[in-house]
Amino acid sequence: MKAGIILVGTELLNGGTVDTNSIYIGEELNKYGIEMEFKMAVRDVREEIVKAIGWAKQNVDLVIMSGGLGPTIDDITKECIAAYLGLPLIVDPEDVRILERKFDAIHIPMIPSNIKQIEKPQGAISFPNGEGMAPGVYIDGIAAFPGIPRELYDLLPKFLAWYSREKKLAADDIYIRDILTYGLGESILDDKVKGLFTEPGIYYEFLVKAHGTIVRLQSYRHDKKNVEKIVKNIYNEIGEYIFGEGNDTLESVLVRELKARGMTFSTGESCTGGLIAGTVVNVPGASDVFREGFVTYSNEAKIKYLGVSSETLARHGAVSAETAWEMVKGLATTAGIASTGIAGPASDDTEKPVGLVYIAVRVGESISVKEYKLGGGRNRIRHRAALHGLFDLIRLLRRESAV
């Protein structure tokens, strides 16, 4: 089965909004073995939306639309679906009652224009929106959802579960394994693992994310043993670069592994300015392991809170392996991460380049310090440095456990 995506919104074409919804939609479709053939973005113009629907309907089995379900004058997606199908828009009394209850719950009066959010083409099926006001709708191979990501994330899984039952899609027959890697470029990763895919009917792809690269294996459940055999070979080949699977993140894996070892964790950050600590505390249960975070941006703070010696700072500078080593050594917990570097936009008077970062990690008395030369703007350098720190500590934890 093939699907196409129509993203509705002038802001998607004039640079006002960056599309992330199509990535999520594609990943969800993949779980049901539905192939996404194309995606397109159209302006909030009636004729253009109707034309896009017509073209899409001629080429795929399922059209998924995102955006244009709100209460304002430019929210016309459902009007365009109705126009294409030659159907009137209706308001279901049950949808009205649901909407009224939502407004009552947030103590905001409902005004007449809000009714537009629950209009739908005659005969369409509604899907309740647990994160917003406008329900999702489906009719004649066309599904429409709000463009707000959290609302789409709530609605699309509900719809696909229903749709797969209606169309008797054998979702359970699809078998997917996502292997999460960090620290290897896509081309190097491909070179290392492509020779492992020798079994027919097993497909793989690389999905480059901010937190690393996913190696996705997909086949059918009856080929599960062959998929697992390849996964085992991948671990044998690049295991030191694999930090998790499925929905894992670097921070969730770190918290899990610290818990498993009964260890406590803290951070001493300079160039990352609290990003590492902030990322970790986003993980539910982080309080079981995380104790404190120091943002020691100045030399005085490094001396006062982490015990870095003034002699080390004078001799090697704040941005140095020696300073990073003393920063992480000064943390009181059994595990820690320290960062120091130059995020830009300009370098300091030491003539060290922008993007030079030192990350130190510690497990017990074992300390590892690495030098990184990172590209990109200030925020990208800081973000990448934080990710390097998380991954470096995961690797050191595993290495110490293997000794």
Side-chain angles (χ1 to χ4, degrees), residues 285-301:
S287 59
D288 292 339
V289 296
F290 186 69
R291 293 295 175 267
E292 56 193 359
F294 298 95
V295 179
T296 55
Y297 219 58
S298 66
N299 285 353
E300 292 78 11

Side-chain angles (χ1 to χ4, degrees), residues 64 67 125 178 314 320 360:
I64 295 180
I125 298 169
D178 283 346
S320 64

Side-chain angles (χ1 to χ4, degrees), residues 103-258:
F103 275 97
D104 286 343
I106 59 176
H107 308 292
I108 294 176
M110 191 174 84
I111 60 177
S113 63
N114 291 123
I115 293 295
K116 182 176 182 179
Q117 294 175 274
I118 56 173
E119 291 179 337
K120 61 184 178 183
Q122 188 175 49
I125 298 169
S126 297
F127 295 87
N129 186 341
E131 293 291 333
M133 300 300 179
V137 298
Y138 172 79
I139 185 170
D140 193 23
I142 305 170
F145 305 103
I148 298 172
R150 71 175 186 276
E151 298 185 30
L152 174 68
Y153 300 165
D154 177 75
L155 284 162
L156 185 61
K158 298 173 185 174
F159 165 73
L160 287 175
W162 172 85
Y163 186 78
S164 67
R165 292 193 299 269
E166 289 293 306
K167 299 298 180 181
K168 295 182 171 55
L169 301 180
D172 290 342
D173 286 345
I174 303 299
Y175 186 66
I176 297 173
R177 285 286 297 272
D178 283 346
I179 310 301
L180 311 181
T181 72
Y182 191 86
L184 278 179
E186 188 178 9
S187 58
I188 297 174
L189 186 59
D190 179 60
D191 187 61
K192 286 182 174 292
V193 305
K194 64 183 178 183
L196 305 178
F197 290 87
T198 57
E199 303 289 340
I202 298 175
Y203 306 96
Y204 77 99
E205 61 182 335
F206 299 123
L207 307 173
V208 180
K209 304 289 186 179
H211 58 270
T213 303
I214 300 172
V215 182
R216 171 166 291 172
L217 297 85
Q218 180 171 323
S219 189
Y220 292 96
R221 197 159 291 277
H222 64 259
D223 274 334
K224 180 179 177 179
K225 288 185 178 180
N226 287 331
V227 173
E228 297 303 323
K229 182 170 69 174
I230 295 173
V231 168
K232 183 178 179 180
N233 291 336
I234 290 174
Y235 270 88
N236 289 337
E237 182 68 27
I238 59 165
E240 64 179 313
Y241 297 98
I242 296 172
F243 69 86
E245 294 193 26
N247 294 320
D248 284 338
T249 61
L250 285 165
E251 57 269 25
S252 68
V253 170
L254 177 59
V255 169
R256 186 170 69 227
E257 300 218 357
L258 288 166

Side-chain angles (χ1 to χ4, degrees), residues 250-396:
L250 285 165
E251 57 269 25
S252 68
V253 170
L254 177 59
V255 169
R256 186 170 69 227
E257 300 218 357
L258 288 166
K259 282 184 181 181
R261 293 164 176 80
M263 301 184 75
T264 56
F265 167 70
S266 57
T267 59
E269 302 181 61
S270 184
C271 63
T272 50
L275 275 177
I276 299 173
T279 300
V280 170
V281 299
N282 281 332
V283 180
S287 59
D288 292 339
V289 296
F290 186 69
R291 293 295 175 267
E292 56 193 359
F294 298 95
V295 179
T296 55
Y297 219 58
S298 66
N299 285 353
E300 292 78 11
K302 291 178 177 65
I303 295 169
K304 179 178 180 180
Y305 295 107
L306 300 178
V308 177
S309 74
S310 56
E311 182 182 350
T312 296
L313 289 166
R315 180 179 299 175
H316 301 286
V319 180
S320 64
E322 291 80 6
T323 294
W325 193 94
E326 290 192 15
M327 288 172 69
V328 81
K329 180 69 174 176
L331 296 170
T333 47
T334 51
I337 301 174
S339 68
T340 183
I342 303 172
S347 183
D348 59 13
D349 57 9
T350 63
E351 298 184 356
K352 293 176 181 177
V354 171
L356 176 65
V357 174
Y358 291 93
I359 300 292
V361 294
R362 178 170 61 80
V363 174
E365 295 302 313
S366 179
I367 296 176
S368 171
V369 182
K370 289 188 178 179
E371 176 186 285
Y372 293 100
K373 294 178 180 178
L374 307 177
R378 178 179 178 84
N379 286 338
R380 177 169 169 76
I381 289 169
R382 294 175 63 239
H383 180 68
R384 290 181 65 195
L387 295 178
H388 281 310
L390 296 171
F391 183 63
D392 287 349
L393 183 53
I394 290 170
R395 291 182 77 175
L396 184 58

